[in-house]
Amino acid sequence: GQNIDQPTEMTATEGAIVQINCTYQTSGFNGLFWYQQHAGEAPTFLSYNVLDGLEEKGRFSSFLSRSKGYSYLLLKELQMKDSASYLCAVINQAGTALIFGKGTTLSVSS
Amino acid sequence: EPEVTQTPSHQVTQMGQEVILRCVPISNHLYFYWYRQILGQKVEFLVSFYNNEISEKSEIFDDQFSVERPDGSNFTLKIRSTKLEDSAMYFCASSETGGLATYEEYFGPGNRLSVT
């Protein structure tokens, strides 16, 4: 089976840096995704990691350690519009579906 | 930019009725998915579809659910006899590739289903 854990809620202020952690236990590993979901909207793709290390994309970066079953999403120069849920998801063993964590709701205040 | 579309955006139905949720995936994508999200809960995988057949389905996707690609553009999810607990947002997604290759799933805006 697969289990994905991430904090339920986080708060931060505009301009700050925040790190959202995700730990996973899977039977086989085929890749990990981070999605952003604003309330009432669809998830939108942020990043994909399959090898260890850091992937940087503008203000957002994602890190993966396969040996530790651990990933984080780093958001820099936070803006109010970054207030959203951030979903960690792993590809299932067959590679046919995404299995999502419960998501971390980030609130950014001024 | 191409996008996944879904209709209707919100459907209200009575318990026991059949509903069909419609999706138009991105045109050159080959893999199609349905997920659901009960209010306040996580996104849950229902089913994946490739080459006109189901690739995988979750334990949620029981005999009350079915999927179909009736033509070259639509991908539908049918719930045969709705229950109160089927009330949720249903997201359709598509991806250009699938299997064990790198793939990004593009999600549609969702069909909100309310069963009364």
Side-chain angles (χ1 to χ4, degrees):
Chain A
Q2 283 151 314
N3 190 45
I4 300 167
D5 288 309
Q6 44 182 139
T8 304
E9 293 181 342
M10 297 184 73
T11 59
T13 53
E14 266 187 307
I17 299 172
V18 71
Q19 177 174 311
I20 302 175
N21 296 323
C22 171
T23 57
Y24 61 89
Q25 295 94 40
T26 59
S27 45
F29 179 77
N30 295 316
L32 185 144
F33 286 81
W34 284 95
Y35 278 80
Q36 181 190 60
Q37 186 180 28
H38 284 100
E41 298 183 12
T44 55
F45 170 81
L46 290 178
S47 69
Y48 170 74
N49 294 73
V50 66
L51 298 176
D52 290 351
L54 189 67
E55 295 279 343
E56 296 188 78
K57 191 185 280 190
R59 293 189 300 116
F60 293 1
S61 305
S62 58
F63 171 83
L64 176 68
S65 169
R66 289 172 295 170
S67 62
K68 296 181 180 177
Y70 168 68
S71 174
Y72 67 72
L73 180 70
L74 192 71
L75 294 79
K76 302 176 187 174
E77 301 168 19
L78 281 174
Q79 302 173 9
M80 297 292 284
K81 67 178 182 179
D82 297 329
S83 293
S85 287
Y86 291 86
L87 315 180
C88 176
V90 295
I91 303 174
N92 70 347
Q93 191 169 16
T96 51
L98 288 177
I99 307 302
F100 284 87
K102 293 183 178 179
T104 299
T105 300
L106 174 66
S107 300
V108 180
S109 59
S110 55
Chain B
E1 186 176 328
E3 58 184 18
V4 177
T5 59
Q6 294 183 242
T7 55
S9 58
H10 187 194
Q11 180 154 359
V12 182
T13 189
Q14 288 190 325
M15 202 166 48
Q17 296 295 305
E18 175 184 284
V19 296
I20 297 176
L21 306 178
R22 291 183 166 77
C23 167
V24 178
I26 294 173
S27 62
N28 65 331
H29 285 188
L30 302 176
Y31 294 80
F32 315 119
Y33 313 85
W34 283 101
Y35 292 83
R36 81 169 184 193
Q37 187 174 33
I38 295 170
L39 187 64
Q41 297 187 24
K42 66 178 180 179
V43 177
E44 299 175 290
F45 168 72
L46 292 178
V47 65
S48 57
F49 190 88
Y50 168 71
N51 200 25
N52 285 319
E53 61 184 27
I54 290 174
S55 305
E56 181 145 1
K57 58 185 180 180
S58 72
E59 58 203 25
I60 302 169
F61 194 89
D62 61 22
D63 292 343
Q64 293 299 310
F65 290 88
S66 61
V67 289
E68 193 178 29
R69 187 152 165 83
D71 52 45
S73 59
N74 289 282
F75 180 51
T76 61
L77 175 69
K78 182 194 291 187
I79 308 174
R80 213 176 321 278
S81 176
T82 51
K83 303 187 283 284
L84 292 175
E85 53 265 38
D86 293 327
S87 295
M89 183 74 92
Y90 289 81
F91 291 110
C92 174
S94 68
S95 64
E96 191 171 353
T97 61
L100 294 177
T102 303
Y103 66 101
E104 175 188 341
E105 292 184 24
Y106 292 79
F107 284 78
N111 305 98
R112 181 170 298 284
L113 177 65
S114 300
V115 182
T116 61

